[in-house]
């Protein structure tokens, strides 16, 4: 899931300073689970903006804003409300925001900051366990990713900053190499040579056309 | 000629120390400290933006030391440069006459005075050693031949008092497999533990310099315990410094006592002073 958090309201008001009529887009997928851009948050945002003298021309919560076809369809269905607006405000991840940009010529502004791909550890508590490096290493590290879970992406064991299995930059954070070691210490012995970063050239493009 | 390598091969007990480049371009203090330690140690490490603080570059610091007739150990981290920059810098360092390298991953950017910076970490310390071994054999990291290879004497860091010791030792062995020729350890407190480590480390053909810190005040204790990852100064030492009427003298005494105990145990001592380089000659003198 893509983990997001809401920007400060003052920041949103700042870039909306010249906007008067606003259409709001929420996301039924990740942003709903993160409680950052679902039905309820869209409603709260409308209330907040109304109090700050903005007119809301309409809203829609799209199943997956990042799905360009779904977003374009929703924009056709809400054409009139969007026409009346001067600005579209998007409560979805960065991919969702740009899917909206690709669906309208109106000004588009974000409400959320996109943080990472994460697991839900507890309700409303998320952690980054994969950073989409493009070359999965989990078969060699007992299923624990040192690239995503170590701030230094150490590939050959813990750095000198580890204390009692915890990370130097955040004592709440488990050092992945200590976790890997505890599962099976043999996994620590292999020398991992420098990674091939060309395998994950950015921006990423994947086409399955012709495959399916 | 490589003085550090020669000394480690021929002498009983070798001293190194480290000095920190200034934040800024005024190298007066840096050079004064270098002059103070010059006669007491074989080589001087120049730190690479230690604790992720923005400082004058390590390579420039090394060159300044060379001009003073001091043999530098060029500390290089993987925090701020990708593998292209690191290779380029190492070739440049060699061409400028720098012969000793200490390869480290480096404290995270978030802990320094420029936390907004993008951390690089394209390589880790083990991979950096591997890279240096490549340059030493006349190739870049992708096996392209070099016009003139490097011949670095290169080492790394190990922490014999790591809270998670076995993973640390597995990594130590990987560093040796990647060619590390010497180690400067993290600060040593527990001599018995260190002796155990040396018994194990003597299996390998590497030179070990024990990290010894000179504590000159409770301010240094605070700095080390709070700001330097992986460092914990024991309470017994803190009490000795705090109770003493002359903390500087006590700190010098503690360090020299430790070094005395290490003679015959390892290949030398690497003295860490936290900006009090002027105490180094005294400590070395007292430990003889």
């Amino acid at each position: 899931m893509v983990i997001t958090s809401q920007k400060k309201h003052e920041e949103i008001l700042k870039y909306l300073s010249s906007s008067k009529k606003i259409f709001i887009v929420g996301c039924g997928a990740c942003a709903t689970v993160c409680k950052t851009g679902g039905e309820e948050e869209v409603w709260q945002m409308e209330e907040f903006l109304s109090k700050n003298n903005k007119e809301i021309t309409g809203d829609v919560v799209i199943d997956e804003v990042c799905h360009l076809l779904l977003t374009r369809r929703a924009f056709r269905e809400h054409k009139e409300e969007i026409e009346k607006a001067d600005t579209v405000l998007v409560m979805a991840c960065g991919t969702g925001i740009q899917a909206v940009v690709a669906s309208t010529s109106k000004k588009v502004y974000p409400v959320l900051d996109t943080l990472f791909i994460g697991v839900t550890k507890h309700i409303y508590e998320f952690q980054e366990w994969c950073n989409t490096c493009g070359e999965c290493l989990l078969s060699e590290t007992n299923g624990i990713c040192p690239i995503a879970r170590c701030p230094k992406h150490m590939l050959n064991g813990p750095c000198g900053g580890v204390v009692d299995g915890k990370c130097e930059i955040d004592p709440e954070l488990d050092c992945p190499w200590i976790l890997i070691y505890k599962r099976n210490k043999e996994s620590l012995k292999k020398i991992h040579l420098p990674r091939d970063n060309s395998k994950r050239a950015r921006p990423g493009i994947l086409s399955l056309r012709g495959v399916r | 000629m490589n003085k550090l390598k020669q000394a480690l091969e021929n002498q009983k007990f070798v001293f190194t120390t480290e000095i920190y480049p200034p934040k800024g371009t005024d190298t007066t203090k840096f050079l004064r400290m270098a002059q103070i330690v010059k006669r007491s140690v074989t080589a001087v490490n120049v730190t690479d933006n230690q604790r992720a603080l923005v400082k004058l570059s390590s390579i420039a610091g090394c060159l300044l030391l060379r001009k003073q007739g001091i043999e530098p150990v060029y500390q290089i981290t993987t925090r701020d440069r990708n593998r292209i920059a690191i290779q380029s810098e190492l070739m440049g360092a060699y061409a400028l006459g720098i012969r000793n390298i200490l390869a480290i991953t480096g404290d995270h950017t978030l802990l320094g005075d420029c936390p907004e910076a993008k951390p690089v970490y394209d390589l880790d310390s083990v991979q950096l050693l591997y890279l240096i071994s490549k340059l030493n054999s006349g190739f870049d990291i992708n096996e392209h031949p070099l016009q003139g290879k490097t011949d670095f004497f290169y080492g790394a860091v190990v922490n014999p008092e790591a809270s998670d010791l076995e993973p640390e030792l597995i990594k130590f062995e990987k560093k040796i497999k990647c060619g590390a020729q010497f180690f400067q350890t993290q600060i040593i407190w527990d001599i018995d533990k260190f002796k155990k480590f040396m018994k194990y480390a003597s299996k390998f053909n590497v030179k070990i310099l024990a990290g010894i810190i000179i504590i000159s005040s409770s301010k240094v204790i605070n700095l080390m315990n709070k700001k330097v990852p992986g460092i914990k100064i024991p309470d017994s030492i803190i009490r000795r410094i705090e109770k003493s009427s002359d903390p500087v003298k006590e700190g010098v005494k503690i360090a020299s006592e430790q070094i005395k105990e290490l003679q015959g145990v390892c290949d030398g001592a690497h003295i860490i002073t936290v900006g009090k380089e002027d105490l180094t000659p005294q400590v070395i003198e007292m430990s003889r």
Side-chain angles (χ1 to χ4, degrees):
Chain A
M1 185 173 56
V2 178
I3 310 303
T4 48
S5 67
Q6 279 204 7
K7 287 178 177 290
K8 288 209 173 84
H9 280 180
E10 306 88 80
E11 188 187 342
I12 297 166
L13 280 183
K14 219 181 219 172
Y15 50 66
L16 288 181
S17 60
S18 64
S19 304
K20 292 193 174 71
K21 299 177 176 184
I22 295 166
F23 183 83
I24 300 181
V25 178
C27 181
C30 312
T32 293
V33 183
C34 287
K35 296 285 258 177
T36 52
E39 294 276 1
E40 199 181 327
E41 293 76 42
V42 167
W43 179 77
Q44 285 164 352
M45 181 55 66
E46 287 184 6
E47 196 177 50
F48 166 73
L49 292 176
S50 300
K51 272 186 197 155
N52 285 278
N53 307 319
K54 307 290 181 193
E55 185 188 324
I56 308 299
T57 67
D59 65 62
V60 59
V61 175
I62 301 169
D63 284 349
E64 290 168 44
V65 183
C66 61
H67 196 315
L68 204 44
L69 302 180
L70 292 183
T71 296
R72 282 187 175 152
R73 190 206 294 158
F75 271 54
R76 283 195 297 275
E77 286 167 5
H78 292 266
K79 197 174 168 210
E80 267 181 42
E81 296 153 61
I82 294 167
E83 274 309 315
K84 274 189 235 160
D86 51 52
T87 301
V88 178
L89 198 59
V90 187
M91 301 177 75
C93 70
T95 308
I97 296 160
Q98 293 177 73
V100 169
V101 170
S103 308
T104 179
S105 55
K106 296 276 177 184
K107 269 191 292 188
V108 177
Y109 286 124
V111 172
L112 310 185
D113 287 316
T114 306
L115 305 176
F116 52 85
I117 295 183
V119 293
T120 308
K121 277 195 88 179
H122 302 289
I123 297 179
Y124 310 140
E125 198 187 316
F126 312 102
Q127 239 183 47
E128 183 175 20
W129 283 3
C130 171
N131 75 354
T132 70
C133 75
E135 193 183 23
C136 194
L137 194 75
L138 291 172
S139 65
E140 298 183 35
T141 56
N142 300 333
I144 292 162
C145 182
I147 298 166
R149 297 171 71 168
C150 166
K152 300 180 185 175
H153 322 304
M154 301 290 289
L155 278 174
N156 285 293
C159 79
V162 63
V163 176
D164 298 324
K166 300 294 182 183
C167 179
E168 74 177 24
I169 70 162
D170 183 355
E172 297 286 301
L173 218 55
D174 289 316
C175 170
W177 277 108
I178 303 301
L179 298 178
I180 293 165
Y181 162 77
K182 281 181 178 163
R183 283 210 157 204
N184 175 7
K185 64 181 175 190
E186 290 307 310
S187 306
L188 227 150
K189 291 184 180 164
K190 182 186 166 182
I191 293 175
H192 289 275
L193 294 182
R195 283 175 64 76
D196 179 358
N197 288 302
S198 70
K199 291 243 169 86
R200 180 61 178 98
R202 314 246 169 181
I205 296 172
L206 175 68
S207 174
L208 297 176
R209 281 188 176 184
V211 179
R212 294 202 169 168
Chain B
M1 194 192 75
N2 185 317
K3 275 205 292 191
L4 179 62
K5 190 179 176 195
Q6 269 192 348
L8 281 168
E9 274 162 13
N10 303 323
Q11 284 177 26
K12 277 211 176 93
F13 203 79
V14 173
F15 287 99
T16 57
T17 188
E18 60 191 35
I19 54 178
Y20 313 110
K23 186 182 207 60
T25 56
D26 181 356
T27 55
T28 319
K29 188 189 169 213
F30 177 80
L31 294 174
R32 193 173 66 237
M33 290 304 171
Q35 279 305 322
I36 290 172
V37 299
K38 186 177 177 180
R39 272 180 196 80
S40 309
V41 300
T42 303
V44 176
N45 289 38
V46 183
T47 50
D48 178 10
N49 298 286
Q50 84 279 6
R51 294 196 288 119
L53 304 171
V54 177
K55 298 289 183 94
L56 180 140
S57 71
S58 173
I59 198 165
C62 287
L63 216 59
L64 290 168
L65 291 192
R66 269 179 56 74
K67 275 192 193 163
Q68 307 271 314
I70 298 167
E71 182 157 307
V73 177
Y74 173 31
Q75 291 198 184
I76 182 163
T77 73
T78 64
R79 178 190 55 229
D80 309 315
R81 308 169 186 86
N82 70 9
R83 67 192 82 174
I84 298 174
I86 289 176
Q87 290 176 98
S88 167
E89 182 118 339
L90 286 172
M91 288 187 274
Y94 193 82
L96 292 170
I98 294 165
R99 295 291 178 263
N100 307 307
I101 305 283
L102 187 76
I104 42 192
T105 304
D107 296 335
H108 199 274
T109 46
L110 287 175
L111 303 174
D113 65 357
C114 196
E116 306 82 0
K118 183 173 186 177
V120 179
Y121 299 117
D122 184 24
L123 309 176
D124 63 22
S125 51
V126 172
Q127 295 166 340
L128 174 55
L129 292 162
Y130 166 79
L131 182 151
I132 300 169
S133 74
K134 283 273 155 210
L135 298 180
N136 268 5
S137 63
F139 295 92
D140 76 5
I141 199 165
N142 287 342
E143 306 286 345
H144 301 128
L146 304 180
Q147 264 174 51
K149 60 176 191 158
T150 63
D151 184 18
F152 285 122
F153 181 58
Y154 61 110
V157 177
V158 63
N159 184 4
E161 297 189 13
S163 56
D164 302 279
L165 188 60
E166 198 182 2
E168 176 71 8
L169 297 183
I170 294 173
K171 200 174 160 202
F172 169 70
E173 290 188 28
K174 286 184 178 186
K175 287 178 171 177
I176 294 169
K177 278 189 188 132
C178 285
Q181 294 159 292
F182 70 91
F183 284 83
Q184 290 171 325
T185 77
Q186 278 287 19
I187 297 163
I188 298 302
W189 295 112
D190 188 332
I191 301 284
D192 290 332
K193 215 183 220 176
F194 182 70
K195 283 180 180 167
K196 250 187 231 161
F197 165 76
M198 280 310 300
K199 211 174 152 191
Y200 146 85
S202 62
K203 287 191 295 193
F204 307 100
N205 183 26
V206 288
K207 302 294 180 185
I208 310 274
L209 295 116
I212 296 295
I213 188 174
I214 308 173
I215 298 171
S216 49
S217 65
S218 24
K219 207 178 127 194
V220 170
I221 295 173
N222 265 328
L223 175 83
M224 295 305 284
N225 277 351
K226 287 192 184 134
K227 298 275 173 126
V228 184
I231 302 288
K232 184 92 191 70
I233 298 173
D235 293 341
S236 56
I237 300 289
I238 297 176
R239 251 176 275 130
R240 268 184 75 174
I241 295 290
E242 281 176 352
K243 274 189 183 166
S244 169
S245 55
D246 188 346
V248 174
K249 203 172 155 194
E250 191 64 21
V252 167
K253 203 171 152 220
I254 292 169
S256 59
E257 283 170 8
Q258 286 175 318
I259 294 169
K260 266 186 200 161
E261 283 197 70
L262 290 171
Q263 311 265 354
V265 175
C266 59
D267 303 290
H270 176 68
I271 297 174
I272 299 157
T273 61
V274 203
K276 284 275 184 186
E277 289 87 346
D278 47 325
L279 300 174
T280 303
Q282 227 179 309
V283 166
I284 292 173
E285 209 41 57
M286 276 176 72
S287 69
R288 286 193 205 274

